[in-house]
Amino acid sequence: MTNDTQSAEQTDGFNLVIDALKLNGIDTIFGLPGIPITDLTRKAQAAGIRVISFRHEQNAGNAAAIAGFLTQKPGICLTVSAPGFLNGLTALSNATTNCFPMILISGSSEREIVDLQQGDYEEMDQLAIAKPLCKAAFRVLNAEDIGIGVARAIRAAVSGRPGGVYLDLPAKLFAQSMDAAAGRASLIKVVDPAPRQIPAPDAVQRALDLLKTAKRPLIVLGKGAAYAQADADIRALVEKTGIPYLPMSMAKGLLPDTHKQSAAAARSYVLPEADVVMLIGARLNWLLSHGKGKTWGGKSHKDWGGQKFIQIDISPQEADSNVRIDAPVVGDIGSCVSAMLGGISAAGAGWPQPSADWLGAIDERKTKNIAKMAETLAKNPSPMNFHSALNVMRDVIKANPDAMLVNEGANALDFTRSIVDMYKPRKRLDVGTWGVMGIGMGFAVAAAVVSGQPVIAVEGDSAFGFSGMEVETICRYKLPVCVVVMNNNGVYKGTDVNPTGGPDVAPTVFVKGARYDKLMEAFGGVGVHATTPAELRKAVEEAVRSRKPTLINAVIDETAGTESGRITSLNPTAAKKK
């Protein structure tokens, strides 16, 4: 081939974006086609990238975010400009809050028109809007910079504390052409995008010295510990120290929930009674009552309970965010846990085990609470309540520990978290740090695509409404997803009434007797109407076995549940009623 022929070979922005993603191991895009990125989705699919097309960008964004959590690679969400970008922005913000690596790539209007506010199609300064809501934001204007733009986005998403990144690609960029050889040379394969951050030896020793002094130690595992995929070392740390542990909801399964050291069934006892608490990938935010208040033994919500804290986190800024952290250990979770484990192993038989009194007191309360729960689960009321329905889900997950469990709602979330045991890491995906509604179907699609395992999504009927149209997506891609809608006719419960006596129902009440199962049938999936635990069990077991898209309308007593679930204290009206 002559030099003239070589120079005549051209590439363009479309192909450079695709080549840059493929060069960095990106094999899946979640998104929704439209102007100006329709051809990008077509070309990406033709190039061998799997393109999962959704019905709403927020759900595609949620899928990308949880794919990032599961794979440690940035999940990619691709949207159109302005409204599509805004729809994806909620998921991007949620990913950043939850420390999920994700890149939202959106087409946009031309800069010269946007900057002069001349009224272009879907005109919006998307970069400016995205910046405050994500970890980093970049715009690429020239084809030769696409490689750098993609590389910077990948590194920003996964390095340090992971998060959401926005990449703005104006429409004009895609049609830009350049010499193909120069284009290939401009692409960057990111080397070591998430480098290990080794903790300082003195920080590790300080933490170990504090841990040795504990009479009532406790380990709290957060979803950061699950993301780290340092499962063997985390388990070894827990078992070698003999310290009881409390898993946050997405850390369930790092060790089986049935593990003898799990203190989950004695949560309300161990938090206020522990004297030294080691946080591994967990933040002292609202989910842990900010490390103070009555949850931790304080007299009021502002009082510190007197615990000493060891915090393992990749961000030094996380320490002291709510209470004093006596021994911060800054670094990536894997390196920190390995260093801690090395120090404990070096101590050998000299490492102190927790006192028999502390372990005995925990076991006593666990035994009592587990027996009480078993008694409740054994009941078979008619109609079903959350406990009798979730007893079925508990058994199904126990029999299928590789299945992915997606969970959202208020009562549906709270009861599932406490009733359904998990046995393997990163199998439970839920609303996370923000506690948002609407993650369900996006998470379910991504969990099926990434894992290849059956997915069971336990949804409150209100939560399902935020993303329910994606059952068509589940059917279109023939994904092994079983959606279980806990249908109690409304938000929290379906018993509210209009105080005026007017024709409108109360704001929290839905259509009585709604048949959500028919929605799945409309798109060729399996719909089941279940009114008893036996019917529910049969339907879920068949869905897992057949791997067919299935939606089970599980009819729950509309009086079951409580307003706001377990966060009633955050709802002023409900708290006052209580």
Side-chain angles (χ1 to χ4, degrees), residues 291-409:
K292 51 194 173 184
K294 294 181 179 179
T295 299
W296 294 89
K299 293 181 180 179
S300 75
H301 73 281
K302 293 183 178 180
D303 291 334
W304 168 50
Q307 295 83 1
K308 292 182 182 292
F309 287 98
I310 301 164
Q311 184 162 28
I312 298 176
D313 199 283
I314 200 165
S315 171
Q317 296 181 45
E318 189 59 42
D320 309 321
S321 59
N322 277 291
V323 297
R324 181 175 68 246
I325 301 300
D326 301 273
V329 183
V330 177
D332 68 274
I333 300 292
S335 297
C336 291
V337 171
S338 177
M340 295 281 289
L341 192 58
I344 290 165
S345 297
W351 185 263
Q353 293 291 299
S355 71
D357 288 345
W358 174 235
L359 298 180
I362 295 172
D363 285 341
E364 179 183 345
R365 285 159 179 81
K366 279 176 59 177
T367 300
K368 179 181 177 181
N369 291 338
I370 289 171
K372 185 177 179 181
M373 176 65 78
E375 184 179 334
T376 302
L377 295 177
K379 296 176 182 177
N380 188 17
S382 181
M384 286 188 292
N385 60 17
F386 285 101
H387 286 87
S388 59
L390 290 171
N391 188 38
V392 172
M393 309 312 300
R394 174 188 174 100
D395 291 344
V396 171
I397 292 295
K398 184 177 182 180
N400 300 275
D402 286 319
M404 307 291 291
L405 175 65
V406 173
N407 187 206
E408 66 172 334

Side-chain angles (χ1 to χ4, degrees), residues 257-282:
D257 282 338
T258 51
H259 194 283
K260 65 179 182 178
Q261 287 173 247
S262 173
R267 177 190 173 104
S268 61
Y269 173 72
V270 295
L271 289 178
E273 293 297 326
D275 60 353
V276 175
V277 179
M278 180 160 64
L279 304 162
I280 304 179

Side-chain angles (χ1 to χ4, degrees), residues 73-94:
K73 296 192 300 184
I76 306 297
C77 176
L78 181 63
T79 81
V80 300
S81 52
F85 154 78
L86 290 174
N87 287 342
L89 203 54
T90 299
L92 184 70
S93 302
N94 191 50

